[in-house]
Amino acid sequence: MKKVVKFGGSSLASAEQFRKVGEIIKADPDRVYVVPSAPGKRHSKDTKVTDMLYKTYELAKEGKDFGKQINDIKARYNEIIEGLGLGLDLSKEFETIEKNFREKAGPDYAASRGEYLNGIIMANYLGYEFIDSATVVRFDNNGDFDSETTNRLMTKKLEKTPKAVVPGFYGAYADGKIKTFSRGGSDITGSIVSRAIRADVYENWTDVSGFLVADPRIIDKPPYIETITYTELRELAYMGASVLHEDAIFPVRKEGIPINIRNTNKPEDPGTWIVESTAKKSKYVITGIAGKKGFCCVNVVKDQMNSEVGFVRRVLQAFEDQNISIEHVPSGIDTMTVFVQQDEFIDKEQAVVSEIHRLAHPDMLEIESDLALVAVVGRGMRATRGTAGRIFSALAHASVNVRMIDQGSSELNIIIGVETRDFEKAIAAIYDIFVTTQV
Ligand code: ASP
């Protein structure tokens, strides 16, 4: 068996955390490829090294002195090195970094040093080989991740390296210039390494024991999800449930490799399994509930809309022309509604309204604001009769007025639009009916 283990920033914030990580890796000889993040927060008021690097680079870019800031970063790494009793000296690395900062190597280069240096420490601590991700993770000239070239480079390199540390979050263009993924992107690197070696499992170690069935800020102590499919996860992540970077499932998905979310501080917890497909039933009919506030909708009414060819397209064109992405489009015979994100829409609303009038000549148009969407997700819903009925009766009992219903064609999710003030109440009511009552 071959396992890839990725550790998040909080798992590597101090020497004490590094030790826990070392024990986890040594406990299982299959854990042969390690992907570290940069050191994260040691306590709630602390600053992540990545953020320190961005700030320090800002000063360098303006030609200001950044001596104190870079020393603070050095101190973070030295504390780890000394705490682990390693005979490692990063001064040469820091000389290069300072020189490159002065030469304005760019914010991506700056941020990437967080993972790069942590990778060097990790490799030294474990006795694994260090691989600079700039040599194996490739971006194309448009700045997009080049998955196939990366897979080729990574596979070739790892074939010759039975145990290695590959720092997360960054790669490079063909000319060697450093480029990072978006924030939290070390999760993607872990997935890329897993794909390249066809790992049996991609373990993603963080500071929680997996995905929760619902947001703990709304629901008191919700249980963890044991197994979730990639698709269910996409639905929940899109609606705001975040543990894993949303692009991290794509590389492993190509090879059907499962991801296991684990807790560095509680390694005995089984965590959540993210899989392509499973025969395992989830404990409840639903797998999870998530939601987002901050939507508004445009209701468009026109008599005999259903027989007017091209009407929907013309309405949607008005949004496209203003570069506004659309979330949902429920429709009736003579009505259609377009859900959009309020902050993206608000400055352009009058332009959209007049364009809808110009393109589609509706009889009436109306905008409603302060709406929230709640997604109820679960592969079990397809096989269970009455799920939608139970959701809506629970909402009715909780006096939540349902403004929109959208069931995905996969029958994997039901999306419900409610007023923002009913958001928490709606989630609690759905949670109660499916989880608290255990049916
Ligand atoms: N260190 C980077 C960040 O803070 C990437 C990561 O941790 O995944 O976003």
Side-chain angles (χ1 to χ4, degrees), residues 6-10 36-40 48-51 54 111 114-115 168-170 181-188 245:
K6 180 261 166 182
F7 291 91
S10 58
S37 282
K48 288 171 126 193
V49 165
T50 310
D51 292 317
Y54 278 126
E115 288 35 38
F169 190 39
Y170 72 95
F181 291 109
S182 57
R183 295 298 303 265
S186 299
D187 286 337
I188 306 173
H245 191 293

Side-chain angles (χ1 to χ4, degrees), residues 410-421:
S410 57
E411 288 186 54
L412 195 74
N413 65 345
I414 296 179
I415 301 200
I416 301 144
V418 298
E419 277 159 38
T420 300
R421 62 187 155 92

